[in-house]
């Protein structure tokens, strides 16, 4: 049983974008704002970006996700809740249109689809590979991996654009939208012309999320597709 393209696209886009909100070093527990407390209202989006990455160690948020094809047609909408902690721990709980869980304990990532009764488990490094998301999850300055430019304000947000310096990243650009306080939107244009947009609400910061939230055990009877080697040779097990 194989996950359909539309269902997998929802999960895959989430995996690619997680480090944008998790790649940082320190954060006050339970705070609803990082950048807003440390920057003046006149600060540029680039300044907000840098402060955000320096101050957001772990976050929780609700999200709305929209996938648009190369012709500007809306392909799918999704929504749910996420929690992330650096390095490499995250969980996306999709509530609509399908119930999916994407969880990583920092070593392996599990993508679970309740309706299909299927779970895919892979090494985290295998999934992220050389994508912009993988580069953002490290400790290197963003400027080493991306060209960063100020974009035009839109939708009441100040935007910054990150263009990957590696030509094989799979993404043409990533845009981040900030309000007076924090990150509120993310847009990713892939090499196929598709745009994934995420809008964040109820964003809070927690220095120490419960570790059990990043561990997901598929229910008994789930069809499990496990990849343990980088040669992309999955093996089924029950």
């Amino acid at each position: 049983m194989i996950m359909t393209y539309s269902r997998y696209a929802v999960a895959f886009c989430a995996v690619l974008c997680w480090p944008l909100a998790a790649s940082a070093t320190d954060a006050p527990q339970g705070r609803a704002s990082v950048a807003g407390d440390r920057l003046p209202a006149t600060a540029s989006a680039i300044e907000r970006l840098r402060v955000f990455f320096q101050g957001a160690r772990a976050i929780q948020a609700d999200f709305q996700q929209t996938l648009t094809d190369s012709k500007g047609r809306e392909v799918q909408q999704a929504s749910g809740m996420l929690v992330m902690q650096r390095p490499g721990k995250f969980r996306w709980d999709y509530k609509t249109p399908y119930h999916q869980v994407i969880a990583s304990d920092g070593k392996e990532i599990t993508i679970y689809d309740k309706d299909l009764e299927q779970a895919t488990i892979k090494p985290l490094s295998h999934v992220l590979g050389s994508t912009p998301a993988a580069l953002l999850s490290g400790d290197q300055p963003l400027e080493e991996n991306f060209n960063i430019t100020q974009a035009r304000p839109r939708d009441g947000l100040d935007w910054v654009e990150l263009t990957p310096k590696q030509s094989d990243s799979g993404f043409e650009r990533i845009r981040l939208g900030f309000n007076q306080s924090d990150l509120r939107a993310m847009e990713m244009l892939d090499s196929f012309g598709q745009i994934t947009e995420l809008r964040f609400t109820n964003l809070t910061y927690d220095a120490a999320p419960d570790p059990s939230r990043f561990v997901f055990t598929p229910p008994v009877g789930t069809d499990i597709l496990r990849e343990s080697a980088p040669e992309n040779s999955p093996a089924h097990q029950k």
Side-chain angles (χ1 to χ4, degrees):
M1 178 166 52
I2 302 298
M3 190 181 298
T4 63
Y5 172 77
S6 61
R7 296 165 82 98
Y8 184 74
V10 172
F12 185 66
C13 290
V15 172
L16 287 178
C17 74
W18 76 268
L20 291 169
S23 166
T25 56
D26 194 14
Q29 184 169 356
R31 299 296 296 275
S33 173
V34 170
D37 292 339
R38 300 171 59 181
L39 284 174
T42 55
S44 68
I46 294 179
E47 292 173 309
R48 297 177 195 278
L49 169 71
R50 291 186 174 127
V51 169
F52 183 82
F53 275 97
Q54 292 170 359
R57 178 173 178 80
I59 71 167
Q60 298 182 69
D62 296 324
F63 66 89
Q64 294 283 336
Q65 179 176 308
T66 303
L67 179 64
T68 305
D69 67 16
S70 59
K71 296 182 179 180
R73 298 174 299 193
E74 184 178 297
V75 176
Q76 193 172 62
Q77 286 191 346
S79 64
M81 183 171 60
L82 66 93
V83 59
M84 308 177 187
Q85 183 180 27
R86 182 181 185 267
K89 296 180 180 180
F90 56 89
R91 178 165 176 154
W92 296 72
D93 282 280
Y94 279 86
K95 305 301 182 182
T96 62
Y98 311 108
H99 181 77
Q100 293 178 328
V101 175
I102 306 169
S104 169
D105 60 3
K107 297 179 180 180
E108 289 187 323
I109 179 172
T110 300
I111 302 175
Y112 170 69
D113 190 298
K114 179 180 179 180
D115 294 337
L116 297 180
E117 297 183 329
Q118 177 178 302
T120 302
I121 302 175
K122 301 180 181 182
L124 183 61
S125 59
H126 187 189
V127 175
L128 295 177
S130 60
T131 65
L135 298 175
L136 286 169
S137 67
D139 295 326
Q140 293 178 314
L142 295 178
E143 290 83 355
E144 291 189 13
N145 299 310
F146 295 90
N147 295 311
I148 304 174
T149 58
Q150 185 89 13
R152 180 174 56 86
R154 175 170 49 87
D155 300 331
L157 300 175
D158 294 321
W159 293 83
V160 60
E161 182 170 296
L162 289 76
T163 305
K165 293 181 177 180
Q166 292 189 4
S167 59
D168 60 348
S169 64
F171 278 80
E172 299 295 330
R173 67 169 184 264
I174 300 173
R175 286 181 175 173
L176 305 177
F178 292 85
N179 64 3
Q180 292 279 331
S181 299
D182 272 308
L183 179 68
R184 285 295 178 262
M186 180 187 307
E187 295 179 354
M188 297 172 286
L189 174 66
D190 66 24
S191 55
F192 298 101
Q194 297 181 123
I195 296 177
T196 301
E197 177 183 350
L198 290 119
R199 295 278 174 162
F200 302 107
T201 56
N202 302 319
L203 183 70
T204 59
Y205 297 82
D206 187 346
D210 185 348
S212 66
R213 301 186 66 178
F214 305 112
V215 179
F216 179 78
T217 302
V220 175
T222 300
D223 186 27
I224 298 177
L225 182 67
R226 179 182 290 274
E227 292 188 15
S228 58
E231 290 78 18
N232 194 28
S233 55
H236 274 290
Q237 64 176 359
K238 281 286 188 178

